[in-house]
Amino acid sequence: MSLLTLNERVLKLGSSATLAMKARAKALTDRGISVMTLSAGEPDFDTPQVIKEAAKKALDKGISRYTGVRGSDDLIHAMRIKFERDQKVRYDASQVLSTVGAKSAISQAIDALIGAGDEVIVFSPYWVSYTELISLAGGTPVLVHASKEQGYVPTPEQLRAAITPRTKAIILNSPNNPSGAVFSEAALRGLMDVVKDSKIWVISDEIYEHLLFDNVKHVSPASFSDDAYSRTLVITGASKAYAMTGWRVGVVGGPKELVGAMVKLQEQRYTCIATVAQAACAYALLEPPEVKAEIEKMRQAYEMRRNKTLEIVASMPGVTCFKPQGAFYVLLDFSSITKDDQVLADRLLDEAHVALVAGSAFGVPGTVRMSLASSMETITEGLTRIRKWL
Ligand code: PMP
Ligand code: GLU
């Protein structure tokens, strides 16, 4: 037996259910099996050519050295413009930061805020990594479940009931992964009113802000009031809207004190993010008309795929689903057939060769999450296989 031991918290860290399923589906595909992969929360589109050109130009100009921790001057400028345009909040250069994907923004925000015994309120359904990252930091995730009947949107009363003297932060995620719920402005205001004048921070994960259906508009809770502005950290990034998952760019804006603490962490951990990715993102965030057109093309494709999915699911006996208005996921509810969604996801992969993610990983047992970030053919064939298998 080895005398070497690992950190207890790392030993307890779960693996990402979404990335694990992506790897399992790939392993089957690599063996020559035709798998309908509806598990990945990752655009199936290539990064728009105009964004790639911006990156190539930057390389040709010799942009290849460390930048400041927050990012290059161009990227800082673009992040500030972006927040003013989309979140309707003004941040100065000391309030923004680029990170290694939104994922590291979330983990650095948690590390900057959370110590042993601190509680973070996480609304369920929730994205898989929040709870693991809170536990890794020594904190306790406190789950508040919003049911399908309430449109997966929590109420102010539910939030109020979960707050204790140890509550350090809440995490909001609208449009939501995995439910696709978009919290209305009134719902967000109701939640923000509960934490008003308290010592509770708000981490608002707005990574799906551009992916909205049915003419719904994005609102950021940071814009509601001076109180909201001073307690809210906005996290977004290039992965979803610009189909740039592999470039790893997260974009953060918020109170100077918190962003400054994250900068301190990032300085010791990563120095800065890759400069070629910074250049591509600085261009994309300004959203010139050619980028806007690409975003809209992809958004429309997701909306059409959502519509098709709802149509097919309506004809599946025993399966229901909530109509998502944002992001690119549909939660398929199998609870009238089985409660064991992990066995269901395993069997659908092994027997029907359709890759989905078990809902328990997101706090919604009895469901599986299907991604709309696959071609219409893959979605149609995947759902047809599920129907036959049922
Ligand atoms: N937040 C949510 C809700 C997500 O679904 C994802 C997807 N990976 C992320 C954050 C992280 O995105 P990334 O690290 O690729 O920017
Ligand atoms: N966010 C995506 C998902 O939920 C990508 C994978 C991950 O980072 O979890 O599937």
Side-chain angles (χ1 to χ4, degrees):
M1 201 186 89
S2 170
L3 295 175
L4 306 171
T5 53
L6 297 170
N7 177 335
E8 191 71 22
R9 289 213 289 262
V10 175
L11 286 170
K12 283 196 194 137
L13 185 67
S15 57
S16 162
T18 49
L19 295 178
M21 194 43 123
K22 181 177 154 99
R24 280 179 68 188
K26 181 174 181 297
L28 288 180
T29 308
D30 288 348
R31 280 171 41 205
I33 296 169
S34 140
V35 178
M36 295 302 119
T37 303
L38 302 175
S39 49
E42 158 160 54
D44 54 318
F45 300 102
D46 199 4
T47 302
Q49 190 58 33
V50 284
I51 299 178
K52 289 195 236 172
E53 294 302 334
K56 286 185 204 166
K57 263 194 220 144
L59 280 179
D60 289 342
K61 273 207 293 193
I63 294 197
S64 57
R65 296 196 160 73
Y66 298 138
T67 63
V69 178
R70 295 172 197 271
S72 66
D73 289 348
D74 284 351
L75 182 54
I76 288 173
H77 170 74
M79 290 191 285
R80 295 178 60 202
I81 302 259
K82 177 259 171 308
F83 282 122
E84 200 165 337
R85 180 190 64 218
D86 301 330
Q87 273 67 27
K88 311 273 184 276
V89 287
R90 275 201 190 172
Y91 292 131
D92 65 33
S94 71
Q95 294 179 281
V96 294
L97 165 68
S98 59
T99 56
V100 185
K103 201 177 228 173
S104 87
I106 293 161
S107 83
Q108 294 195 121
I110 288 170
D111 288 351
L113 292 174
I114 305 307
D118 287 336
E119 294 176 356
V120 182
I121 294 177
V122 176
F123 300 110
S124 110
Y126 57 86
W127 179 47
V128 291
S129 292
Y130 298 150
T131 45
E132 292 299 329
L133 292 172
I134 293 163
S135 303
L136 181 65
T140 305
V142 174
L143 297 181
V144 171
H145 186 65
S147 68
K148 188 173 161 197
E149 290 65 41
Q150 57 190 96
Y152 295 123
V153 179
T155 62
E157 293 67 37
Q158 285 181 297
L159 171 57
R160 204 170 288 117
I163 292 174
T164 75
R166 309 228 64 156
T167 307
K168 196 72 193 276
I170 66 171
I171 301 184
L172 291 171
N173 172 218
S174 171
N176 183 269
N177 177 5
S179 71
V182 178
F183 295 19
S184 67
E185 178 170 346
L188 284 170
R189 282 191 184 273
L191 296 170
M192 293 302 287
D193 280 348
V194 175
V195 293
K196 190 165 176 271
D197 297 327
S198 72
K199 287 187 172 165
I200 300 172
W201 292 91
V202 176
I203 299 174
S204 181
D205 180 347
E206 302 178 22
I207 186 103
Y208 295 100
E209 59 180 301
H210 281 49
L211 302 179
L212 293 163
F213 314 137
D214 309 324
N215 290 317
V216 167
K217 298 276 173 277
H218 182 72
V219 281
S220 173
S223 68
F224 290 166
S225 63
D226 289 346
D227 180 278
Y229 178 84
S230 62
R231 71 177 64 250
T232 304
L233 184 80
V234 180
I235 295 180
T236 181
S239 285
K240 316 290 173 173
Y242 311 135
M244 290 177 69
T245 49
W247 299 73
R248 311 304 303 124
V249 186
V251 171
V252 176
K256 185 175 170 177
E257 178 192 6
L258 175 52
V259 175
M262 293 168 68
V263 168
K264 248 176 29 180
L265 285 171
Q266 179 152 294
E267 183 174 62
Q268 294 295 2
R269 287 175 173 170
Y270 315 118
T271 303
C272 63
I273 69 170
T275 41
V276 64
Q278 289 194 34
C281 188
Y283 170 75
L285 282 178
L286 293 176
E287 295 187 5
E290 53 279 23
V291 171
K292 254 187 139 55
E294 294 289 334
I295 299 171
E296 180 54 15
K297 217 164 68 189
M298 295 188 272
R299 193 203 63 76
Q300 281 179 14
Y302 297 130
E303 185 158 0
M304 268 156 41
R305 296 167 186 178
R306 181 212 53 175
N307 294 345
K308 184 76 185 167
T309 301
L310 295 179
E311 192 187 305
I312 302 177
V313 173
S315 70
M316 277 189 191
V319 186
T320 57
C321 71
F322 169 78
K323 180 180 180 182
Q325 291 203 298
F328 41 48
Y329 308 101
V330 182
L331 267 186
L332 303 178
D333 188 343
F334 285 77
S335 56
S336 71
I337 299 175
T338 177
K339 298 277 177 270
D340 197 338
D341 51 274
Q342 188 55 62
V343 168
L344 175 70
D346 288 346
R347 288 191 60 189
L348 282 168
L349 181 64
D350 296 335
E351 298 167 18
H353 297 153
V354 183
L356 302 145
V357 186
S360 300
F362 309 96
V364 260
T367 67
V368 288
R369 188 194 76 173
M370 169 186 154
S371 166
L372 299 169
S374 293
S375 71
M376 191 69 105
E377 294 70 37
T378 306
I379 289 171
T380 314
E381 171 62 15
L383 289 169
T384 306
R385 287 186 189 185
I386 297 173
R387 191 163 45 196
K388 275 197 201 137
W389 180 85
L390 277 173

